[in-house]
Amino acid sequence: MTYSVAVSGASGYAGGEILRLLANHPDVEITTVTAHANAGDPLVRHQPHLRSLRHLELQPTTPELLSGHDIVFLALPHGQSGQYTDALEDVSLVVDAGADHRLTSEAAWSQFYGGDFHEPWTYGVPELLVSGGKQRANLVGATRIAAPGCNASTVSLSLAPGVAAGVIDPSDVVSVLAVGPSGAGKSLKPHLLGSEILGSANPYAVGGTHRHIPEIQQALRGAGAADPRISFTPVIVPMARGILATSTAPIAGDATDAEIRAAWETAYGDETFVQLLPAGEVPRTADVIGANTALMGLAIDRAANRVVVVTAVDNLAKGTAGAAIQSMNIALGLAETTALTVNGVAP
């Protein structure tokens, strides 16, 4: 069976990455691409790298135009997906790459986002540990999927094994992330101009204000944390793509080095897209660009009594579009790795 697909927000970074990956998917046909201000333009005017899709023209984003497809991907700014998802009841599978359906807490939504709260959908991080299993099981047969926030899924995947195994204390988590500006979207923002970020590192959303914090806490609760608390500091650095997340947490009780490392080895030893590096190695963002891979390095700092996890992902691939398509594959009963690669692009 070939599934017809519509992608909204197709002129943006997330929408473009969804299209790049879907273009090589043997089980889907991209029939419709939509945008707002760019409607009426050829897709390749805004995504010139997508040569196999040069025949497509951007259509206006309306519920009527999105309806009637087998699968709809929404790659819209936060707070804009809900107005469409309510009107897409006839669509068999809807995948939202925005935040509108990620959070289960209305209070957390009001605090960090504001506006109308929409029902939570199945969270699109298959490898995440939840209730003694993996989120993958919840994605089987799902009809509504909330793709993750790129920073949130990176930190959650980094720490969930330690939480589930009881070898770290999730009440004192510190995460500092170097992130590429593509995670902020394609809209013009003066502080993200090349002249502003080249040769500089710029922290933002400092002091517990970043919108991905409640998403991380929600994921860690699912892994078994009673009251996860996190100091979360993202820093824009001059690389187009990528996240390098350094997350630390206290060692719990008398957990041994072997027990700590075993927690991550057990969690990810059989996973294709989340890979724990050998002891003593840490990843680089350069090694995951274009790939649906999260590379993870684990260190045990006995002097500070903390576990240190360094994780690299491509924020547009594994962080957003890759996770969305991986989750789609699971929901539809397709091979999970279809149209996704573990291989990055170098140099």
Side-chain angles (χ1 to χ4, degrees):
M1 176 179 178
T2 300
Y3 298 92
S4 63
V5 173
V7 177
S8 71
S11 60
Y13 287 137
E17 188 72 356
I18 289 169
L19 289 168
R20 182 181 76 86
L21 297 175
L22 287 178
N24 293 316
H25 199 298
D27 300 301
V28 306
E29 179 184 2
I30 302 166
T31 58
T32 304
V33 291
T34 77
H36 288 284
N38 298 318
D41 291 348
L43 174 67
V44 290
R45 180 173 297 174
H46 301 277
Q47 308 287 7
H49 59 299
L50 300 179
R51 304 315 301 175
S52 67
L53 303 179
R54 63 187 181 276
H55 59 286
L56 293 175
E57 180 178 298
L58 292 165
Q59 306 294 319
T61 300
T62 66
E64 294 77 16
L65 198 146
L66 295 173
S67 294
H69 295 83
D70 297 315
I71 306 168
V72 171
F73 286 87
L74 300 170
L76 302 172
H78 305 325
Q80 294 189 18
S81 299
Q83 62 183 310
Y84 299 104
T85 56
D86 294 342
L88 297 177
E89 293 181 357
D90 68 320
V91 177
S92 298
L93 176 59
V94 182
V95 183
D96 185 11
D100 292 31
H101 296 278
R102 293 175 190 159
L103 297 184
T104 59
S105 167
E106 185 171 357
W109 175 267
S110 297
Q111 179 182 351
F112 284 87
Y113 290 93
D116 293 337
F117 177 74
H118 296 276
E119 65 172 317
W121 288 356
T122 307
Y123 195 48
V125 185
E127 302 92 349
L128 189 64
L129 291 166
V130 291
S131 301
K134 295 280 183 75
Q135 181 64 8
R136 176 179 288 108
N138 296 323
L139 285 161
V140 175
T143 62
R144 297 292 183 270
I145 296 170
C150 53
N151 296 316
S153 61
T154 305
V155 174
S156 299
L157 286 169
S158 298
L159 298 173
V163 171
V167 298
I168 64 171
D169 176 3
S171 69
D172 181 20
V173 172
V174 177
S175 291
V176 179
L177 299 84
V179 301
S182 59
K186 207 172 186 179
S187 298
L188 178 62
K189 300 177 180 70
H191 70 286
L192 297 179
L193 293 172
S195 57
E196 300 291 334
I197 67 171
L198 293 176
S200 182
N202 303 284
Y204 67 100
V206 177
T209 61
H210 197 283
R211 289 173 167 178
H212 286 179
I213 289 173
E215 188 177 339
I216 296 167
Q217 292 174 314
Q218 179 175 293
L220 296 184
R221 287 190 191 98
D227 182 25
R229 290 181 291 173
I230 179 170
S231 173
F232 180 91
T233 306
V235 182
I236 290 286
V237 296
M239 58 185 181
R241 292 173 176 245
I243 296 172
L244 189 71
T246 301
S247 302
T248 79
I251 297 169
D254 56 357
T256 66
D257 288 12
E259 289 170 336
I260 292 168
R261 186 163 184 87
W264 275 262
E265 290 176 340
T266 300
Y268 300 134
D270 294 329
E271 292 290 349
T272 299
F273 295 121
V274 180
Q275 300 180 12
L276 179 65
L277 297 176
E281 294 186 17
V282 290
R284 311 178 305 165
T285 56
D287 300 326
V288 296
I289 298 304
N292 193 53
T293 310
L295 289 183
M296 199 171 290
L298 175 70
I300 301 169
D301 185 348
R302 283 291 172 182
N305 196 46
R306 298 181 76 90
V307 174
V308 181
V309 184
V310 182
T311 303
V313 304
D314 181 329
N315 59 293
L316 293 178
K318 180 58 173 168
T320 304
I325 292 168
Q326 184 182 348
S327 298
M328 177 201 76
N329 287 337
I330 295 168
L332 297 175
L334 305 174
E336 186 173 335
T337 58
T338 306
L340 302 171
T341 181
V342 296
N343 297 324
V345 177

